[in-house]
Amino acid sequence: MDAHSNVRNLTATEAKLQLINACQRLPDYAKHYFVVQFAGSRKEELLAVTPNQLIRLDINGRMLKTWPYKRMRDWHVNWYKKLVVVEFDDEVVEFWPVGADAKNVHEFIGGYIFLATRAEDKNQTLDEAEFHKLTGGWKA
């Protein structure tokens, strides 16, 4: 009943925006988890792909390492081996997705980088070629 009293005087649009804002404040909002095996490791771990970084976690969800996108130089997929390779300023990270296709990981990374490069201007036209370059697995 208390929740209803918080939104009963709002328009439908205002209530939806309030719900969206509440969801965006959740700790795992916009994190996408993949079970992966990192090069040099024999055990399965988790990789969280977020809007601004990659996060390495043990299988129990304990954070082991983060890699901000601002330190990323390049990333690509060896489609034959299904190996994702991410190059940062000071290291190269390689992993194989276990429970998903490497294309899914590639698309999330590319999609988040594409969104980060967009301007705040709502009238900005969509650069479809850049979007497909970042999410499609080929270089222009």
Side-chain angles (χ1 to χ4, degrees):
M1 197 59 136
D2 192 33
H4 181 264
S5 66
N6 291 336
V7 296
R8 86 173 148 216
N9 295 327
L10 299 177
T11 67
T13 302
E14 290 170 332
K16 289 177 186 177
L17 287 173
Q18 195 174 73
L19 175 64
I20 290 168
N21 288 332
C23 290
Q24 289 175 334
R25 288 190 302 271
L26 293 171
D28 284 333
Y29 174 77
K31 288 183 183 174
H32 299 277
Y33 294 91
F34 297 93
V35 178
V36 299
Q37 184 174 351
F38 284 90
S41 176
R42 293 180 172 236
K43 60 186 174 187
E44 292 181 353
E45 296 178 78
L46 296 174
L47 176 77
V49 181
T50 76
N52 57 358
Q53 67 184 344
L54 299 177
I55 305 171
R56 183 178 184 170
L57 305 107
D58 67 17
I59 204 69
N60 297 314
R62 188 173 51 99
M63 188 183 319
L64 302 173
K65 185 156 186 169
T66 62
W67 297 281
Y69 292 149
K70 64 183 176 187
R71 290 184 31 235
M72 184 186 296
R73 292 191 326 213
D74 191 22
W75 84 100
H76 63 275
V77 176
N78 179 324
W79 299 108
Y80 180 72
K81 293 181 179 181
K82 307 286 189 199
L83 174 72
V84 180
V85 180
V86 186
E87 298 175 31
F88 293 96
D89 292 337
D90 56 350
E91 70 180 306
V92 175
V93 178
E94 300 179 331
F95 57 87
W96 294 268
V98 175
D101 193 308
K103 183 170 179 43
N104 298 122
V105 179
H106 175 77
E107 288 173 343
F108 271 105
I109 294 171
Y112 281 139
I113 290 173
F114 178 77
L115 290 174
T117 62
R118 306 243 323 140
E120 293 291 323
D121 179 11
K122 302 291 183 206
N123 296 323
Q124 179 183 9
T125 58
L126 178 68
D127 185 347
E128 289 187 48
E130 183 69 9
F131 176 78
H132 290 295
K133 178 181 144 190
L134 288 170
T135 61
W138 67 83
K139 296 186 180 195

